[in-house]
Amino acid sequence: MRIDLSYAPKLNLSNYKDVNKTTDVIDYKTGQVLRSSVGMLVNYANLNEVRDRTREDDINLLANYSKELGKSSINVLGGFQYLTNYFNSISAYRQVNNFQQFEEINAYDPTGMTNGGYSNEWALMSYFGRLNYAYASKYLFEANIRYDGSSRFANGYKWGLFPSFSAAWRFSSEGFISNLSWLNNGKLRASWGELGNQSGLGSNYPFALNVATNQYTVFGGVLNPGYAPVNFALNNITWESTRMLDFGIDLGFLNGKVDLTFDWYKKDTRDILLNIAIPGVMGYANSPKQNAGSVENIGWDLSISHNNTFGDFNYRITGILSDVQNKITNLGGLAPQVNGVHVKKVGDPIDALYGYVADGYFSSFAEARAHTVAQWGKLQGGDIRYIDQLTVDTDGDGKPDAGDAKMTGDDRVVLGNPIPRYSFSLDLFGSYKGFDLAVFVQGVGKRDGYISGWLAYPFSNASTLLVQHLDRWNEANPNPNAAYPRLSINQHSNNTQASSFWQVSAAYMRLKNLQVGYTFPKTWFEKKGISGLRIYANGNNLFTMSKMPIGMDPESPESVQNSYPLIATYTFGVEVKF
Amino acid sequence: MKSLKYVTLMMLVLLTACDDAIERYPLDVPNSETFYKNEIEIQGGVNACYSFLVAGNNGYLTPEYSWDALADVVFIRGGGFAQNMLMSVTDYKDGYFRSLWLSMYQGISRCNLMLEKIETVKDKLQAEKVNQFQGEVYFLRGYYYLRLINMFGDVVYLNKTVKSVSEGKQVTRTPKADILQKIYADFDKSAELLANSTIKTSGRVTWGAAMSFKARAALQNNDWATAATAAKAVIDSKKYSLMPKYETLFTEAILNSAGNTEQILTQGHLVTANNATTFAQFTSARSVAGGYTTIVPTQNMMDSYLCTDGLDISKSPIYDKTQPYKNRDPRMKYSFVLPGDMWNGFVYETRKDKPTTLNSAGASVKNLDSYNTTEFTSFTGYLVRKYYDFKYATKLTQCENPFMLCRYAEVLLTYAEAKIELNQIDNDCIDAINLVRGRSDVNMPAIATGLSQMEMRRIVRSERKVELWNENLRYQDLLRWKRAEVVLKRPIFGRPVLGDFSLYPAVTFDEYGDPVYDETNYVPHPSTDYRILIRTNFNKDKDYLWPIPETELNLNPGLGQNTGW
């Protein structure tokens, strides 16, 4: 029996000071001050100071009890945690300073000064217990239970009970298998469990219907206080929960030369807290949190490793392959939530790529102008043509059978899945006498990326154009397979719509790391006080196979603006041990 | 094993204490369950009921500047919603519909909450306080419902707060005519409760506001007798009179002066109240740093101003195409900045062939308002003067000037129109119009006696258009007169880019005094510089009512959709 009690207080103080200064504009020829820093635009000299204080107290109590009874072993663990958090912030702001070398509040003009301050709190309490039972190291069983309480839910909804169970059978220890010489280890595993989550709340008091005291009104030119509840809150919201079912097998062959692990799992997250609109007649404009959504993940992981030795030659190979399929199964009745080129929609992966379906280029000015579907702006040859989806039901059978001859939000469809499928890696290591070699390869078998910004649209926001943009449609060479639409100085809104045109495959394979080394025999320098000497050459990101445009990293297949391109690094080194 | 007992005991102690230990409530605001218990809290609650008077704070289409852009008299460059409405291409998913719906129901819900709360603490308050509080709240509820039925027709009528989402999803619509009666009842109750109130602070509801809005509600719903009676009560009360000068009526000095006898309900604005406006930004000339010049009067409006002889520009002998702003109803020059006016220290002119202009010292300087300088100068060649104040030229987005929501001139014209529609064209009726026309700095000729009902109708309608320009009544007027299907089929024009009217044929006017343009003669002749800003396309089978907003319909399909949407 062992009991641990710990108390960990934490105090975090952060100070921010944001000073904006102004400077004179001087005519470089005459030295004359054209615009004085203390004249016009005086408000631009300002100072904002913020002091934040966080206090967190963490109390933990843990009791552990173990017992062996013949072939059975039992381990029981019980625990308790109480976590409280208090946050306080105050801020002060002033503007206009004619003596800008002094960066203190008092150096600024008090006219127009502002200040602010607020505090908030949260607390979490958890009870948890674990029971392990093993019989002859063959039959293994574990049960967990958690009882979590959060201050972010109203009384009556604070607590969630989350159990989990797992069992394993080490069948390789059974008599009828233990004499198989090629099988050293074999274990079947199964588990089911549930866990709570409250991270999506955004506020510390999402259940509380408060009176806002800032609903000011002006009467006779004078500020009058106004008090009203502004944001509706549902007090019956509670924990999101995730249920996970897992089956696995571990196998070891040939005296540990080959190991294999495989897992299949299904994860259901339910009661996800979403912001859902409420009827306007209730008198609130907000969309309060409700337990509504659910998401499903089904996947598997496979890992195989092998190592062996032939004389002076050692090697080890580890391969990992995994897949997951993600799907939103319930959005609480919400319409698809579109955010840029992404959508959250029932039946599709979270943040699936969403947009219009491109249908090649208009082959000529005349064809573009004769197009009967209204797209965006005045069309020319080399602009992207889109498919007008069937959205109108003309024969009344409840199924849309005609387009509406204009591109609208209804013509968008799910285009692709940005969540990687078939992720793999291969880790190789070999050594022969003093030489060693390590190779690491990783990749993704299936994933959709999307390009935008200056990488996709030449001259976007007055930017430049890239060499790949040369392969564009133009009247002299109206190539229907050109990689880019016609160039235009103003970004043509028709061609920058979220569409399948800009979707790319983000599948890739990359030689992430390669290292070659040589360790000198110890006998060479033993007497000089050196115990080891190794030289090596190392390279990162050496080689990538992918269909992404030049300059884009398939590991982050969407954001291309303001980011450094991936760099390859080469290192040569000497390791000396004394 | 002894220690195990202690642990168990400790756990039990912790378990029993647990709920309190993880209770946390906001540290800076009260909870609505326990609020509204005394006079100060109730007063603040009543004040908060005013929050949505100027609602739909969505870009520039707030009622103050300008709901009239939904009609033919104001143009907003980049005002997508107004333009789409005029072209009848908006669909029911447009967020603006729900924005207005939500604002009105927020206001209504606050009113209902306050009526309930006042009832619970009534005994602890002085009787006159209770009357004042209830009087203001009843008015505001009527006001919000009036805007709802005007736009959406039949709407959900609630006189108590909705407590749960499921309750909110089961409500149904009440016929507009029934709600109108309830609106009258709210205005009547407000008038009764405020009849003896001594509070006259600008912005607070008074007896006069309640009666004036009752008259407006009746007029907007073609209930002439009620409109005439309510307006007459305001007139006979002698509480209000016209200010002598239209020119200064919309200035902050007059709006804030105690001697202002014309304003009936005014909306105040302060930066500290978070309701300062960006009026100056949208209406400033390009010569004002940061000015957008997006909200401008239309040529259609300009042409609607009569000449000083009381005739329209197609008939008046004193109208001169080469000096089109001369000899016109002076309200034109009080409301707008016209080409040639001195404005912001420059002679104002947008013509493309005027890259320079004169400053106040008479020197030739670059013309910042010329099309030559920026294509985003006024699209119509005119600027808004009404309510514009150079005080805000350096803080364009922090305008604190108040706007009138109702003034006595409207009541007079309401009375006149109702009497004309009742065909009771007596001296009272004619006097009401002449009072407005004869304001000392307007001084338009008195109207002739013995005119037909139709002639009087034309006069009162064009008087409303001119006197109340950009006061958020024109759109509703066109809808209730069923004139939208005619007027909002005509193109909305700006001034010719070169400003030369003598190159174009004369404007004609229809039987209601609205200008008609012979487009085939205007546009290609002699160049294409006669600016068509919007080709309106009002759909009479659909656009007389707004749609029930998408989200509301999704949450409660039982609401049903308005015809055509």
Side-chain angles (χ1 to χ4, degrees):
Chain A
M1 180 87 196
R2 182 192 155 99
I3 296 175
D4 292 313
L5 175 67
S6 74
Y7 167 61
K10 200 163 86 186
L11 186 65
N12 184 3
L13 300 171
S14 319
N15 297 340
Y16 309 88
K17 194 162 174 174
D18 184 4
V19 183
N20 287 302
K21 296 190 174 187
T22 53
T23 184
D24 293 344
V25 176
I26 297 170
D27 186 320
Y28 73 98
K29 285 182 199 151
T30 63
Q32 191 194 348
V33 176
L34 297 176
R35 280 192 172 179
S36 163
S37 61
V38 294
M40 282 180 72
L41 309 173
V42 283
N43 295 355
Y44 288 90
N46 56 43
L47 183 148
N48 190 31
E49 208 166 337
V50 184
R51 302 248 162 108
D52 289 346
R53 185 161 66 92
T54 310
R55 160 105 197 238
E56 195 166 289
D57 289 292
D58 189 357
I59 297 171
N60 266 286
L61 181 67
L62 216 60
N64 205 330
Y65 174 75
S66 312
K67 182 95 181 164
E68 304 278 337
L69 287 166
K71 283 186 168 179
S72 301
S73 74
I74 298 172
N75 189 306
V76 184
L77 179 137
F80 166 78
Q81 185 186 25
Y82 181 42
L83 190 61
T84 57
N85 184 292
Y86 170 84
F87 174 82
N88 171 260
S89 175
I90 56 169
S91 62
Y93 171 87
R94 285 199 194 185
Q95 58 189 24
V96 184
N97 185 352
N98 291 339
F99 314 98
Q100 295 186 32
Q101 66 272 38
F102 302 117
E103 299 175 0
E104 294 299 332
I105 289 276
N106 280 356
Y108 288 74
D109 192 333
T111 312
M113 62 185 181
T114 59
N115 58 45
Y118 66 96
S119 298
N120 56 49
E121 299 177 298
W122 54 262
L124 274 176
M125 194 181 271
S126 303
Y127 299 89
F128 47 92
R130 187 167 74 213
L131 171 75
N132 289 90
Y133 174 80
Y135 180 78
S137 303
K138 262 195 297 195
Y139 308 105
L140 309 164
F141 176 78
E142 181 177 307
N144 276 286
I145 191 149
R146 288 189 70 89
Y147 188 54
D148 292 314
S150 167
S151 67
R152 290 189 174 101
F153 302 116
N155 282 342
Y157 301 91
K158 285 189 185 313
W159 294 91
L161 186 68
F162 305 107
S164 65
F165 307 94
S166 70
W169 175 35
R170 193 185 296 278
F171 57 84
S172 53
S173 301
E174 297 287 353
F176 60 92
I177 285 178
S178 59
N179 50 13
L180 292 177
S181 61
W182 52 272
L183 185 73
N184 323 102
N185 181 28
K187 189 174 170 186
L188 279 174
R189 291 178 280 106
S191 69
W192 178 91
E194 197 175 354
L195 279 177
N197 178 32
Q198 49 140 24
S199 61
L201 285 168
S203 142
N204 284 352
Y205 315 101
F207 61 87
L209 182 54
N210 301 314
V211 175
T213 52
N214 63 350
Q215 302 296 296
Y216 302 107
T217 322
V218 182
F219 297 116
V222 177
L223 187 69
N224 276 248
Y227 313 131
V230 171
N231 290 313
F232 192 70
L234 288 157
N235 66 1
N236 62 355
I237 52 172
T238 190
W239 292 82
E240 300 176 1
S241 68
T242 298
R243 292 181 192 184
M244 182 149 163
L245 178 67
D246 184 301
F247 297 104
I249 187 164
D250 299 331
L251 295 169
F253 305 99
L254 307 169
N255 284 328
K257 285 195 178 108
V258 177
D259 283 311
L260 181 150
T261 300
F262 179 82
D263 276 278
W264 176 93
Y265 61 87
K266 181 172 179 232
K267 205 162 98 177
D268 275 310
T269 305
R270 55 185 74 186
D271 296 334
I272 296 175
L273 288 155
L274 298 175
N275 290 315
I276 293 185
I278 55 171
V281 295
M282 297 184 69
Y284 300 90
N286 68 316
S287 298
K289 290 282 182 195
Q290 302 185 29
N291 289 102
S294 53
V295 170
E296 180 188 271
N297 282 284
I298 297 178
W300 50 264
D301 301 313
L302 173 68
S303 161
I304 303 175
S305 65
H306 168 55
N307 63 73
N308 209 349
T309 305
F310 297 106
D312 286 333
F313 181 55
N314 285 303
Y315 68 94
R316 189 175 70 233
I317 304 172
T318 306
I320 296 175
L321 178 63
S322 64
D323 183 35
V324 63
Q325 279 175 283
N326 172 290
K327 189 166 81 175
I328 296 174
T329 46
N330 186 354
L331 261 183
L334 287 183
Q337 306 281 297
V338 183
N339 178 16
V341 298
H342 296 281
V343 70
K344 290 188 175 71
K345 189 165 169 277
V346 172
D348 288 299
I350 290 180
D351 289 330
L353 292 167
Y354 191 62
Y356 304 100
V357 180
D359 181 27
Y361 303 121
F362 291 109
S363 64
S364 67
F365 185 89
E367 188 194 304
R369 287 298 161 92
H371 193 53
T372 52
V373 175
Q375 297 195 176
W376 292 270
K378 294 195 167 165
L379 301 172
Q380 299 186 23
D383 283 330
I384 300 168
R385 175 175 38 227
Y386 298 103
I387 290 179
D388 183 24
Q389 302 288 346
L390 306 180
T391 50
V392 182
D393 177 18
T394 53
D395 55 10
D397 65 354
K399 280 182 219 143
D401 49 56
D404 57 0
K406 59 183 178 210
M407 297 308 295
T408 66
D410 294 339
D411 293 307
R412 292 174 297 184
V413 297
V414 169
L415 303 168
N417 179 5
I419 298 171
R421 304 274 316 267
Y422 311 114
S423 305
F424 58 87
S425 69
L426 190 66
D427 194 353
L428 303 170
F429 177 79
S431 66
Y432 178 71
K433 292 191 172 162
F435 294 95
D436 60 84
L437 170 76
V439 179
F440 183 67
V441 176
Q442 70 174 38
V444 166
K446 192 165 179 274
R447 184 180 189 183
D448 295 310
Y450 192 87
I451 59 170
S452 61
W454 54 263
L455 196 131
Y457 326 129
F459 310 123
S460 144
N461 272 338
S463 77
T464 180
L465 78 174
L466 306 172
V467 67
Q468 61 253 40
H469 292 139
L470 288 171
D471 179 17
R472 86 286 183 197
W473 190 99
N474 61 88
E475 279 182 343
N477 178 22
N479 173 11
N481 299 316
Y484 294 89
R486 74 179 173 94
L487 296 184
S488 59
I489 276 288
N490 294 319
Q491 268 187 73
H492 196 319
S493 67
N494 182 71
N495 297 340
T496 57
Q497 297 294 326
S499 82
S500 59
F501 187 87
W502 302 107
Q503 181 173 308
V504 288
S505 167
Y508 75 100
M509 187 168 84
R510 170 168 287 163
L511 177 54
K512 192 82 184 157
N513 182 272
L514 176 76
Q515 190 172 106
V516 189
Y518 178 72
T519 308
F520 292 92
K522 282 186 180 173
T523 49
W524 286 20
F525 38 72
E526 222 162 21
K527 287 174 187 153
K528 299 181 181 76
I530 292 170
S531 62
L533 179 66
R534 177 173 177 260
I535 55 168
Y536 65 92
N538 183 60
N540 278 324
N541 302 321
L542 294 175
F543 171 73
T544 304
M545 278 169 64
S546 123
K547 287 180 182 160
M548 298 289 277
I550 304 165
M552 269 191 80
D553 176 12
E555 284 188 68
S556 55
E558 272 172 55
S559 74
V560 293
Q561 313 263 28
N562 306 323
S563 65
Y564 284 106
L566 191 73
I567 45 176
T569 50
Y570 300 89
T571 320
F572 298 92
V574 180
E575 277 174 22
V576 186
K577 283 180 198 156
F578 297 97
Chain B
M1 284 313 278
K2 219 176 186 179
S3 54
L4 195 64
K5 274 181 198 159
Y6 284 123
V7 172
T8 320
L9 200 71
M10 226 166 119
M11 289 285 212
L12 278 173
V13 171
L14 288 165
L15 260 171
T16 50
C18 61
D19 252 24
D20 289 349
I22 53 169
E23 257 183 43
R24 295 289 186 277
Y25 295 101
L27 297 164
D28 51 5
V29 287
N31 189 286
S32 67
E33 289 296 306
T34 55
F35 203 64
Y36 303 117
K37 288 280 188 272
N38 57 44
E39 187 186 320
I40 289 176
E41 291 171 2
I42 295 276
Q43 176 71 70
V46 170
N47 291 348
C49 292
Y50 282 80
S51 297
F52 305 93
L53 275 182
V54 186
N57 192 12
N58 178 1
Y60 1 130
L61 200 71
T62 66
E64 291 156 328
Y65 58 91
S66 148
W67 206 253
D68 281 24
L70 289 159
D72 55 336
V73 294
V74 170
F75 174 73
I76 302 182
R77 167 165 54 79
F81 177 76
Q83 286 169 24
N84 290 338
M85 286 298 283
L86 287 166
M87 295 185 289
S88 194
V89 295
T90 318
D91 86 355
Y92 79 114
K93 293 174 182 170
D94 191 292
Y96 193 80
F97 299 125
R98 182 154 193 256
S99 158
L100 185 76
W101 176 279
L102 283 178
S103 295
M104 294 302 106
Y105 278 109
Q106 275 177 278
I108 289 163
S109 150
R110 288 186 186 184
C111 291
N112 285 332
L113 178 68
M114 289 324 297
L115 291 174
E116 289 166 9
K117 294 289 182 183
I118 293 168
E119 209 55 46
T120 62
V121 292
K122 215 173 173 176
D123 304 338
K124 291 188 227 160
L125 306 177
Q126 292 169 306
E128 59 265 39
K129 288 279 182 194
V130 173
N131 287 351
Q132 183 70 32
F133 292 151
Q134 290 179 333
E136 291 181 33
V137 175
Y138 278 119
F139 169 88
L140 293 166
R141 187 170 73 180
Y143 175 95
Y144 294 130
Y145 273 118
L146 176 61
R147 289 192 60 197
L148 272 177
I149 62 165
N150 280 348
M151 292 342 304
F152 299 101
D154 302 347
V155 295
V156 177
Y157 188 83
L158 298 161
N159 56 10
K160 56 181 177 46
T161 51
V162 178
K163 305 272 191 236
S164 73
V165 176
S166 56
E167 196 187 330
K169 285 181 178 175
Q170 281 158 14
V171 294
T172 54
R173 290 163 78 182
T174 303
K176 181 177 172 176
D178 296 354
I179 298 177
L180 182 62
Q181 295 307 316
K182 295 177 196 288
I183 292 169
Y184 289 163
D186 276 353
F187 287 146
D188 283 339
K189 216 175 282 176
S190 173
E192 186 192 325
L193 290 161
L194 296 175
N196 299 315
S197 166
T198 52
I199 295 175
K200 293 199 166 49
T201 321
S202 161
R204 283 224 183 266
V205 172
T206 57
W207 173 89
M211 291 313 289
S212 303
F213 274 85
K214 187 184 177 192
R216 183 191 283 187
L219 189 80
Q220 288 179 332
N221 287 280
N222 302 345
D223 178 358
W224 315 117
T226 307
T229 312
K232 188 78 166 90
V234 178
I235 295 167
D236 289 347
S237 76
K238 308 239 183 305
K239 286 176 192 278
Y240 303 99
S241 60
L242 295 181
M243 294 295 282
K245 290 191 151 184
Y246 191 88
E247 185 175 11
T248 55
L249 187 56
F250 309 97
T251 60
E252 212 161 328
I254 297 294
L255 288 166
N256 287 335
S257 91
N260 185 330
T261 54
E262 184 162 345
Q263 60 186 344
I264 293 176
L265 187 64
T266 298
Q267 167 86 12
H269 293 278
L270 284 176
V271 171
T272 48
N274 303 321
N275 74 346
T277 74
T278 50
F279 179 77
Q281 182 162 47
F282 295 123
T283 52
S284 279
R286 299 301 296 200
S287 66
V288 173
Y292 289 171
T293 323
T294 40
I295 298 182
V296 290
T298 62
Q299 185 62 44
N300 310 48
M301 186 64 210
M302 290 296 155
D303 290 340
S304 304
Y305 283 84
L306 304 178
C307 291
T308 48
D309 57 6
L311 298 174
D312 69 47
I313 58 170
S314 70
K315 296 200 185 70
S316 172
I318 55 174
Y319 175 66
D320 176 358
K321 270 188 178 181
T322 62
Q323 299 180 60
Y325 315 112
K326 228 180 119 186
N327 298 332
R328 303 290 290 276
D329 182 332
R331 284 172 289 189
M332 177 193 255
K333 63 175 191 252
Y334 301 148
S335 301
F336 311 120
V337 180
L338 302 168
D341 287 359
M342 181 61 70
W343 191 246
N344 195 31
F346 303 99
V347 173
Y348 184 73
E349 178 55 79
T350 61
R351 285 176 64 152
K352 195 172 186 173
D353 59 347
K354 304 280 184 194
T356 60
T357 188
L358 299 180
N359 66 14
S360 47
S364 178
V365 290
K366 184 175 182 184
N367 183 359
L368 297 169
D369 289 301
S370 166
Y371 281 104
N372 195 55
T373 308
T374 169
E375 58 184 289
F376 299 116
T377 187
S378 167
F379 272 27
T380 65
Y382 313 102
L383 290 176
V384 177
R385 187 190 289 268
K386 193 172 180 177
Y387 280 115
Y388 189 87
D389 192 335
F390 276 105
K391 181 177 164 188
Y392 301 107
T394 53
K395 37 184 178 180
L396 297 169
T397 58
Q398 297 177 15
C399 301
E400 296 187 321
N401 48 329
F403 288 83
M404 286 181 282
L405 301 179
C406 180
R407 59 189 176 94
Y408 188 54
E410 181 203 337
V411 176
L412 290 171
L413 293 176
T414 295
Y415 178 69
E417 186 184 340
K419 294 285 276 185
I420 292 164
E421 294 298 339
L422 291 164
N423 211 3
Q424 298 167 3
I425 304 168
D426 53 18
N427 284 339
D428 269 5
C429 166
I430 293 167
D431 286 351
I433 301 176
N434 282 338
L435 263 177
V436 175
R437 286 165 71 99
R439 192 195 294 264
S440 69
D441 75 339
V442 174
N443 202 23
M444 289 291 286
I447 54 174
T449 49
L451 296 175
S452 71
Q453 186 186 26
M454 187 59 208
E455 285 164 323
M456 288 300 287
R457 205 175 261 150
R458 171 180 168 140
I459 286 170
V460 78
R461 289 186 183 190
S462 77
E463 198 59 35
R464 274 181 83 85
K465 187 177 183 181
V466 165
E467 174 71 19
L468 302 171
W469 177 81
N470 206 21
E471 294 186 44
N472 313 309
L473 294 162
R474 176 74 179 165
Y475 178 48
Q476 200 60 43
D477 284 350
L478 291 178
L479 296 180
R480 70 187 170 89
W481 291 329
K482 293 278 178 274
R483 285 280 292 161
E485 65 198 62
V486 179
V487 175
L488 300 184
K489 283 279 197 188
R490 296 174 186 159
I492 291 176
F493 284 102
R495 193 177 65 135
V497 177
L498 294 180
D500 195 345
F501 291 92
S502 59
L503 298 172
Y504 298 92
V507 182
T508 57
F509 291 86
D510 65 19
E511 70 276 28
Y512 293 97
D514 293 312
V516 183
Y517 301 91
D518 179 356
E519 218 189 302
T520 50
N521 283 328
Y522 270 93
V523 181
H525 170 79
S527 66
T528 54
D529 77 346
Y530 212 100
R531 274 190 100 137
I532 295 188
L533 300 174
I534 312 171
R535 287 191 189 281
T536 63
N537 188 25
F538 189 90
N539 177 352
K540 68 179 166 57
D541 298 322
K542 162 176 160 245
D543 293 332
Y544 278 112
L545 287 179
W546 281 14
I548 300 300
E550 179 196 17
T551 308
E552 301 301 327
L553 210 52
N554 287 348
L555 288 166
N556 181 3
L559 290 173
Q561 187 51 285
N562 285 333
T563 316
W565 287 93

